[in-house]
Amino acid sequence: MNTRILLLALPVLATSAFAQPPEIGQPLPPWREGELDIHHINTGRGDALFFILPDGTTLLEDASGKTLEAAPFSLPSRPDASRPPGEWVARYVQRVMPPGHGGIDYALLSHFHGDHMGAITADSPLAANGAYRLSGITQVMESVPIATILDRGWPHYDFPAPIRNATVDNYRRFLDWQIRHHGLKVERFAPGRNDQIALLHAAGNYPGFEIRNLYGNGQVWTGKGNGTRELFPPLHTLGKDQQPIENILSNAFVIRYGRFDYFSGGDLSDERVAFPDHDGAWHQVERPVAEAAGPVDAMKANHHGSWDANSAAFLAALRPRVIVVTARAEGHPAVNTWHRLTSKALWPGERDIFVTHVSEATARTTYGIERQARSTQGHVVIRTAPGGDSYRVFVLDDGDERMRVKAVFGPYAAQ
Ligand SMILES: [Zn+2]
């Protein structure tokens, strides 16, 4: 409450759109120069985050998509099942794209799982060019141009071992075609760097802004320069069943804008919890990644809030005020993870937790969630004020494409 009074007392902010939150039931007002928007798009089918950076540069992290796992655990498609999730993502991105933008500047794949890049099956439709099939990221680019794609595998897709499956094979055919015909740029996500995802339009106006690549493929930022250190032992010293799993290879980054910080880390998890027979602490990558990030204002929960992710040490290092759980299956978030997310023994102070969908089964098993969560259905949008000193959270109705605001939270003072 004090924050709100202070903000309204400042004449500059009082006259800006940021000081006046939109009315409930009205569409989300468009992004404006200087604001940082983070859209957690709910398709019910996996992660898709769209960032509009302060100068209008755009970043899509993951592109949702169907998964190969058993359907009974999946959540309903949003807005509905009449279109595939990648197409819903493309349409959402086109609605909120800054004026004058022809396409997405950067697309980042956190890792190579179907709920992040779009699984390919025998019934996935062919692209109009006939060269590859459509799902997730390839479906997004069917209607929205992408200038640069970053992933953890380029160019050889051989870490920790050659990655061969229908989804990645199709994705590589897609990259080859787009490079040859549309000049697509592809780079491997480089942990430690803070210039791989850069403001492209007016960087000079936002000297404090950066996206710091924290982690990928076992390499974590040291906190000094662009240096990294290796978390994994030499892979040849590990048995076949001890090799790192795909989730703990996920790319992670932190965005800093003025006082505001936001963390996103794909499906990073605490593999020691999932596989207690595995030797050594090296599987537990969440903690060193969070310690490299330092405390943040807001974060996407790792691995959809699954039971094996968002460890106590990870959360104690990040100490978020706002947490967004991007659910895509029953048990997102899981009851043990929910207790960690809400535990004031791990870090003190208030925190607001937003879940993109809480199913009936999740509500029954993750007890307390319906009472404690700030939202249980909808897209979740974080919008900072110009300069990053404060931010709001909007929950949008995901049942149609009208972008209506269901609830507004904040302003929160960035710490
Ligand atoms: Zn996932």
Side-chain angles (χ1 to χ4, degrees), residues 30-157:
W31 167 90
R32 291 154 53 109
E33 174 86 24
E35 295 173 344
L36 166 64
D37 275 12
I38 305 171
H39 295 260
H40 305 78
I41 304 169
N42 182 36
T43 66
R45 286 291 180 278
D47 278 6
L49 281 63
F50 188 60
F51 300 77
I52 308 176
L53 309 183
D55 73 341
T57 302
T58 56
L59 164 67
L60 178 70
E61 184 191 13
D62 293 336
S64 194
K66 65 180 171 184
T67 61
L68 297 174
E69 69 188 43
F73 300 107
S74 294
L75 299 180
S77 289
R78 301 299 277 175
D80 57 44
S82 66
R83 298 177 189 279
E87 207 173 300
W88 288 125
V89 170
R91 292 166 66 92
Y92 187 111
V93 164
Q94 285 170 317
R95 287 198 297 280
V96 300
M97 189 70 89
H101 265 63
I104 295 167
D105 295 312
Y106 298 98
L108 165 66
L109 293 184
S110 64
H111 65 300
F112 299 127
H113 276 162
D115 56 322
H116 297 256
M117 66 187 294
I120 296 296
T121 53
D123 62 352
S124 301
L126 276 174
N129 58 39
Y132 49 83
R133 294 185 183 277
L134 300 178
S135 179
I137 186 71
T138 63
Q139 189 126 39
V140 169
M141 199 163 176
E142 194 75 349
S143 51
V144 186
I146 299 171
T148 300
I149 290 184
L150 308 172
D151 67 32
R152 72 165 197 84
W154 175 263
H156 300 303
Y157 299 88

Side-chain angles (χ1 to χ4, degrees), residues 46-47 62 67 110-111 113-116 247 266-267 300 303-304 306 326 328 332:
D47 278 6
D62 293 336
T67 61
S110 64
H111 65 300
H113 276 162
D115 56 322
H116 297 256
N247 285 347
D267 280 0
K300 180 188 87 76
H303 197 200
H304 320 281
S306 289
T326 52
R328 68 145 182 78
H332 291 166

Side-chain angles (χ1 to χ4, degrees), residues 12 17 30 40 55 57 63 79 107 129 132 152 172 182 200 212 240 253 276 292 312 334 337-338 345 354 401:
V12 174
H40 305 78
D55 73 341
T57 302
N129 58 39
Y132 49 83
R152 72 165 197 84
R172 295 181 68 179
H182 291 297
L200 299 175
R212 173 71 67 175
K240 211 172 176 189
F253 61 88
T337 301
W338 186 255
F354 302 83
E401 297 188 303

